[in-house]
Each structure stands twice: as C-alpha cells, then as structure tokens.
Amino acid sequence: METTPLNRDFGKVNSENGIRDLEKARAAYRVNDVELSRTAHMLKKGTSIEEGHQSEGEYIKSIVFGGLDGILTTFAVVSGATGGGMSTEVILILGFASKFADALAMGLGDALSQKAEHEHIFNEREREYWEYDNYPEGEVAEMVDMYVAKGMTREDAELCIGLMSQHRDFFVDVMMLEELGLQVPSEDDNPW
C-alpha cells in the first residue's frame, strides 16, 4: 500500500491518548491556516478522547421555523383586528393570545414530531439488528457495495467493512446512516 502524507501523519496524530484543540481547529479553518490545523489536531497526553462540540446549533431549525411562524400569524391577527377597527386593548389581547397559542403549538408540535421521528429511527434500527443477526453476510456485502460505489476499491471496502462488522452496534449505526440516511439519536436526546 502506498504511503500518502495523510497516512504518514495519521500515525503521529493517533499515537497518544488525547483530544484535538477544537477552538484552534475552528480558527485554523476561518483563516485557512493548514499548519495551525495540524497543531490543533495533535493529540495531547492525558486528556479525554471526546471532542467538545458546540450544541448551540442543535435547535436552530426549530427556532427559525417557530419564530417565523409566530411572527407571521401574530402579524396577521393584529393586522386583521386593526383593519376591523377594534380597540387597542382588544388588539393587544388578540396579539398576546396568538403569540401564546403559537408558542405552545410550535413547542408541542416540535416535541411530538421529534418523538415520532425517533420512534421511526429506532424501529428501523431494530430491523437492521434483525437483518445483521440473521444474515450478516448479506449486510456486509451490501455495505461493501455501497463503499465501492463511493469510490473505494473492493479490497479496501471489504477490509473496512470486515473490521466494522465485528462490532455489532457500531456496524448497525453506520449502516443506518449509510443505507437509510438516518442518524441514530443519543439516549439523552429526548424532547420531553
């Protein structure tokens, strides 16, 4: 196997237990500094192997969707009340009532839809476990074909998938993502 710069450097990065400096990695990306990125990815002894990713973006979609919906419907209610010649007190009450109802509906709707999506993903995961347990050769062959279609040589794909398939949970979760496009949520990702 030919040694590329990536293969050569990979051993250095993984030779020690540790974690990359995520803030330096982000700064390196912003300024397009390859050397700073390399420094950020060098592992430090005695640190955890889990990265500390930001979680602020986790709810962006829900916030934008809910905020836009709330603004537009409240604007429509207030505009209609104003156009109907209602008093200021009535317009304010209708506006606040609309805002409250929108917030409640959007929050409940988001939680219920997330719960339903999680149930669907976990049902699909159970099916994948069943397929893995009952016909692992078929599941492995399916994944090898997918990796070959993405550009890997058959030999590399068989090696990669062969190693992954020795770890049931890991293999099934990767298969969920690769085959079905479903990211298995973590146990603490609960809308309630």
Side-chain angles (χ1 to χ4, degrees):
M1 179 178 168
E2 182 179 307
T3 302
T4 64
L6 178 61
N7 292 346
R8 199 171 47 247
D9 291 340
F10 188 76
K12 293 177 188 172
V13 172
N14 287 320
S15 64
E16 303 174 21
N17 291 330
I19 181 173
R20 70 180 177 157
D21 185 333
L22 192 57
E23 289 306 313
K24 272 188 185 172
R26 286 187 178 124
Y29 172 74
R30 281 192 299 272
V31 297
N32 197 24
D33 186 334
V34 175
E35 287 305 313
L36 182 58
S37 178
R38 286 179 194 269
T39 302
H41 283 82
M42 295 304 291
L43 301 176
K44 311 291 187 268
K45 282 188 177 180
T47 58
S48 169
I49 60 169
E50 292 190 22
E51 291 184 7
H53 289 280
Q54 290 178 329
S55 61
E56 292 86 22
E58 187 175 344
Y59 302 106
I60 296 258
K61 181 179 176 185
S62 296
I63 291 169
V64 170
F65 182 68
L68 189 58
D69 180 67
I71 290 168
L72 291 175
T73 56
T74 302
F75 176 76
V77 167
V78 170
S79 296
T82 303
M86 296 183 170
S87 69
T88 303
E89 293 83 16
V90 171
I91 292 171
L92 287 173
I93 290 170
L94 287 174
F96 286 122
S98 173
K99 199 57 142 165
F100 177 74
D102 280 343
L104 187 61
M106 291 304 294
L108 187 58
D110 188 50
L112 290 174
S113 67
Q114 185 177 13
K115 184 177 186 296
E117 181 180 30
H118 287 186
E119 287 174 2
H120 168 69
I121 291 170
F122 286 122
N123 286 337
E124 287 295 315
R125 188 182 196 202
E126 284 303 312
R127 184 184 58 79
E128 288 294 342
Y129 274 128
W130 181 86
E131 290 177 354
Y132 177 87
D133 291 341
N134 290 287
Y135 186 46
E137 305 83 21
E139 294 298 283
V140 167
E142 189 177 352
M143 287 286 283
V144 167
D145 290 342
M146 280 191 276
Y147 278 42
V148 168
K150 290 182 179 207
M152 283 182 112
T153 65
R154 182 156 297 276
E155 182 182 344
D156 285 348
E158 287 172 352
L159 175 64
C160 180
I161 300 304
L163 290 171
M164 285 195 307
S165 68
Q166 294 174 20
H167 307 279
R168 182 178 183 257
D169 292 337
F170 176 72
F171 181 78
V172 168
D173 286 351
V174 170
M175 186 149 207
M176 291 283 296
L177 188 60
E178 295 288 339
E179 180 185 8
L180 305 174
L182 298 174
Q183 177 71 47
V184 177
S186 65
E187 295 298 324
D188 62 343
D189 189 12
N190 184 350
W192 306 109

